[in-house]
């Protein structure tokens, strides 16, 4: 469903150059739930943003389905993202001036669509956001904001979800609700899911774990257990 | 060193009222390292902001040393915070237009001061930020931004540090460096530390854990072990 080959991303030039991605080769199969782990600063968010077409590689290839992202223009990338991709940002990236509910349905609304019948209620209920939907992000706790960001990515039922540390601000029980929801979407709807996490217990929900070190993949583990 | 008594914080009115804090009674002793745990939305950040004078209670009392914060005006609160308190925000709250280093020394600079000799280098080194100091927050990974926020609170060597989920975006090893640094500051300098965390392993570094549920304290545990 998604694949990076020889993916390289360099920020800056000369002595100051930062090799955020150093020839990354990794594939995410359709209906597969992959956790990505590695030290802070090792390139995980950069890989996720490039894989989802939110950022451009310096060199190398990114494919979503049979589409090569490195040859697509901004408009084509935007349409692909809206049609196929859900993204949970590490810093949430909520719109401060609108409510939680409006934030959640925003990507669908931009394509002139609405959530499939019952899906919004289902997501809101499992994520424990009942009663918070009319509030703006600044009126929510950190973990509630994170859950709004997660709901926004899931409610469109995309074919691939990239979740960048989706449980970092949550207690274990609330985090498990989210991970259970994601697991069900993978098992029932074959939603491809790539999740960056620092929590081995969260990674244990995945089918495999890919390890990042200094901008490249340093191995993987199938069927992880915490 | 810090104490809340009957602390109540209500957002909104009537049916829409949210009781974020519901008569909280808790004390943080000088030189004590306290972890605060509880479900997402249970009032932990609200308690921390009110204890540090960043937000006002609806009713009840907050004391830092022998100063009653509820009777102080904005100017007095600002001076007290700059002199005595370090705060690590759950959302980091870095200034986007200046470098990591400038962010770190900003609170001291606002009092016309500089870090004590050698402290900045020490903090930067332990937090693994060497080589990132000239970069602006948008050029840093999520975990690097979090470490800049932590460094900013610690470099002034305040008498009390409030850290709101300081390791949520960090791998275990990087998180342990920070927790070790905080533990040393408590043991060597008697820095009072209050740390919200969702990670039991992080809480195990503290002298005691206070549990928050629905806006009040529901018990505590001394000498926690993960
Ligand atoms: N301005 C506001 N208006 C209305 N409700 C608010 C406002 N700010 C916070 N709240 C609510 O107060 C409650 C406590 O929030 P708080 O941020 O203290 O929780 P928390 O324990 O820190 O949660 P988390 O672990 O998710 O960070 C939450 O239900 C939140 O939605
Ligand atoms: N605009 C930029 N200019 C220079 N360096 C950058 C820029 N953006 C990111 N970097 C660097 O690229 C490296 C990888 O960053 P990335 O955000 O992918 O890390 P990460 O693995 O997601 O880390 P974390 O676990 O802390 O979120 C980091 O060292 C970061 O400082
Ligand atoms: Mg990241
Ligand atoms: Mg909070």
């Amino acid at each position: 469903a998604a694949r990076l080959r020889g993916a390289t991303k360099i920020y800056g030039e000369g002595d100051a150059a930062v090799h955020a991605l150093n020839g990354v080769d990794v594939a995410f199969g359709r209906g597969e739930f992959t956790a990505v782990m590695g030290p802070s600063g090792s390139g995980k968010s950069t890989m996720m943003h490039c894989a989802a077409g939110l950022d451009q590689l310096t060199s190398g290839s990114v494919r979503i389905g049979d589409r090569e992202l490195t040859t697509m223009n901004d408009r084509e990338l935007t349409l692909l993202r809206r049609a196929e991709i859900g993204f949970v940002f590490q810093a949430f990236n909520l719109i401060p001036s609108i409510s939680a509910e409006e934030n959640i349905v925003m990507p669908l609304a931009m394509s002139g669509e609405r959530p499939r019948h019952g899906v919004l209620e289902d997501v809101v209920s499992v994520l424990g956001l009942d009663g918070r939907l009319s509030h703006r992000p600044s009126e929510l706790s950190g973990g509630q904001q994170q859950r709004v960001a997660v709901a926004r990515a899931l409610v469109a039922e995309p074919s691939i979800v990239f979740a960048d540390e989706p449980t970092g601000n949550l207690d274990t029980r609330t985090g498990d609700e989210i991970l259970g929801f994601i697991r069900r979407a993978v098992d029932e709807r074959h939603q491809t899911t790539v999740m960056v996490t620092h929590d081995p217990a969260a990674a244990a929900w995945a089918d495999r774990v890919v390890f990042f070190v200094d901008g490249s993949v340093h191995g993987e583990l199938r069927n992880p257990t915490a």
Side-chain angles (χ1 to χ4, degrees), chain A:
Chain A
R3 196 215 66 195
L4 293 97
R5 199 159 282 175
T8 295
K9 176 77 180 176
I10 302 173
Y11 291 107
E13 292 162 343
D15 286 349
V18 176
H19 291 247
L21 296 180
N22 228 338
V24 172
D25 295 311
V26 67
F28 305 109
R30 171 163 157 66
E32 186 174 45
F33 185 177
T34 303
V36 177
M37 302 187 78
S40 172
S42 56
K44 306 179 299 295
S45 293
T46 303
M47 181 275 289
M48 299 271 280
H49 282 245
C50 292
L54 289 164
D55 201 358
Q56 275 192 328
L57 291 176
T58 306
S59 64
S61 146
V62 183
R63 293 193 23 183
I64 298 265
D66 55 7
R67 314 282 306 273
E68 173 57 51
L69 269 59
T70 56
T71 59
M72 291 164 65
N73 61 36
D74 272 355
R75 170 166 169 67
E76 292 172 305
L77 284 169
T78 299
L79 291 175
L80 174 69
R81 281 200 309 272
R82 271 190 213 159
E84 304 281 334
I85 299 170
F87 202 104
V88 185
F89 293 89
Q90 189 169 2
F92 318 155
N93 292 11
L94 300 181
I95 299 170
S97 50
I98 61 179
S99 72
E101 179 162 4
E102 289 166 320
N103 263 286
I104 290 169
V105 300
M106 171 64 59
L108 282 167
M110 289 179 76
S111 319
E113 295 172 35
R114 303 188 55 74
R116 186 168 60 91
H117 181 71
V119 173
L120 178 62
E121 293 74 10
D122 191 20
V123 170
V124 165
S125 161
V126 171
L127 269 62
L129 289 170
D130 289 304
R132 311 307 301 152
L133 291 182
S134 58
H135 291 256
R136 273 171 287 117
S138 63
E139 298 169 327
L140 300 176
S141 79
Q144 289 165 344
Q145 292 173 26
Q146 184 160 43
R147 284 180 268 159
V148 171
V150 172
R152 178 178 64 186
L154 298 179
V155 84
E157 297 180 293
S159 49
I160 178 163
V161 168
F162 293 97
D164 200 347
E165 303 199 30
T167 62
N169 283 279
L170 301 172
D171 55 279
T172 319
R173 203 152 136 204
T174 309
D176 281 349
E177 296 285 336
I178 289 182
L179 295 164
F181 189 97
I182 290 172
R183 185 73 251 180
R184 281 194 298 282
V186 170
D187 295 338
E188 295 167 13
R189 231 178 9 85
H190 306 296
Q191 176 186 280
T192 308
T193 301
V194 186
M195 176 180 77
V196 171
T197 184
H198 284 304
D199 182 2
W205 286 81
D207 300 317
R208 66 165 177 151
V209 184
V210 168
F211 295 94
F212 250 77
V213 180
D214 285 340
S216 57
V217 175
H218 272 234
E220 68 174 67
L221 189 69
R222 287 259 155 209
N223 297 317
T225 51

